[in-house]
Amino acid sequence: ASGYMGLPFLGLTVWVMVRNRSRRVYRLIVWMMVFVGILALGPNLRVGSWVGPTLPWDLLRHWPFFDVFVTGRFMLYVFILAAGAVSWHVSRARSTAASRWGALGMLLAVVALLPNLSHRGMWSAAIALPLVTHPAWLARYVPPHAHVLVLPYFARGPSTFWQEASGFRFELADGYLYGGINSTWTLLKLPL
């Protein structure tokens, strides 16, 4: 998910790099993008369940400090380099045609990132639990400003909806604990 560049932006980046291939600074940007992109692949090349050859990050991942990196997030630097190169090209364009093509490419890149609002997974009805909507139950089980861990956490469950439905009586605990836990009531079993 963090490595997706989008076809319009990728095409615009390639177009800018090809147009400026004789300029030393653009060649340096391409090499930096390739180097950081290879590091973003992690210690092994993976395609689906197939694990391929060892990559350069395998040499670094055992060193102190490097063992905590999430390599997929290195793609952010590839995006920054690409956006900088495209922006620089458009700002330096001598002809109006080149600047128009660059602006059109940027517009297509933005349009490609817009969400598909017609997708059926985009919208769902929120489930209002009696615990959060019934003030007496909420006062009995959840003290004001309590820190509550609702599972599944955040994006996998309606925890923020429940917090809002309760009038923000409780605060949500942050963290990434949802790996194999599927039930909302795994840690908190209440008689409802």
Side-chain angles (χ1 to χ4, degrees), residues 116-124:
N116 180 3
L117 299 178
S118 65
H119 187 268
R120 74 179 171 97
M122 188 69 145
W123 308 100
S124 65

Side-chain angles (χ1 to χ4, degrees), residues 5-6 13-14 22 68 75 78 91-92 132 142 170 173 175 177 186:
M5 188 177 245
T13 304
V14 169
S22 62
V68 294
M75 282 304 292
V78 175
S91 70
R92 298 182 72 245
V132 275
V142 181
F170 59 88
L177 294 175
T186 301

Side-chain angles (χ1 to χ4, degrees), residues 117-181:
L117 299 178
S118 65
H119 187 268
R120 74 179 171 97
M122 188 69 145
W123 308 100
S124 65
I127 302 165
L129 290 181
L131 176 67
V132 275
T133 56
H134 195 278
W137 288 8
L138 193 61
R140 180 176 175 189
Y141 292 109
V142 181
H145 305 292
H147 289 274
V148 176
L149 176 62
V150 179
L151 298 174
Y153 176 74
F154 191 59
R156 298 179 186 245
S159 58
T160 53
F161 172 74
W162 293 341
Q163 184 188 30
E164 189 276 330
S166 72
F168 293 93
R169 177 181 179 89
F170 59 88
E171 306 203 13
L172 291 173
D174 287 334
Y176 294 99
L177 294 175
Y178 55 78
I181 303 171

Side-chain angles (χ1 to χ4, degrees), residues 9-189:
F9 186 59
L10 181 63
L12 182 62
T13 304
V14 169
W15 177 74
V16 166
M17 295 306 178
V18 168
R19 281 187 62 101
N20 295 292
R21 65 184 172 271
S22 62
R23 300 184 58 126
R24 191 175 311 173
V25 69
Y26 282 96
R27 287 196 308 262
L28 176 64
I29 291 172
V30 167
W31 282 110
M32 288 174 24
M33 288 171 60
V34 168
F35 176 72
V36 175
I38 289 172
L39 290 180
L41 293 173
N44 294 90
L45 181 63
R46 293 177 183 268
V47 178
S49 61
W50 177 78
V51 178
T54 304
L55 297 173
W57 187 257
D58 190 51
L59 300 172
L60 298 173
R61 73 177 176 154
H62 303 292
W63 293 7
F65 181 69
F66 289 99
D67 59 345
V68 294
F69 280 47
V70 178
T71 56
R73 295 187 181 156
F74 288 164
M75 282 304 292
L76 172 68
Y77 299 107
V78 175
F79 299 149
I80 290 171
L81 288 165
V86 169
S87 301
W88 191 29
H89 173 76
V90 170
S91 70
R92 298 182 72 245
R94 292 189 182 129
S95 70
T96 53
S99 60
R100 278 191 210 139
W101 277 107
L104 178 64
M106 284 191 245
L107 180 65
L108 285 174
V110 169
V111 168
L113 294 176
L114 293 176
N116 180 3
L117 299 178
S118 65
H119 187 268
R120 74 179 171 97
M122 188 69 145
W123 308 100
S124 65
I127 302 165
L129 290 181
L131 176 67
V132 275
T133 56
H134 195 278
W137 288 8
L138 193 61
R140 180 176 175 189
Y141 292 109
V142 181
H145 305 292
H147 289 274
V148 176
L149 176 62
V150 179
L151 298 174
Y153 176 74
F154 191 59
R156 298 179 186 245
S159 58
T160 53
F161 172 74
W162 293 341
Q163 184 188 30
E164 189 276 330
S166 72
F168 293 93
R169 177 181 179 89
F170 59 88
E171 306 203 13
L172 291 173
D174 287 334
Y176 294 99
L177 294 175
Y178 55 78
I181 303 171
N182 294 326
S183 172
T184 303
W185 304 110
T186 301
L187 296 183
L188 178 63
K189 296 193 184 220

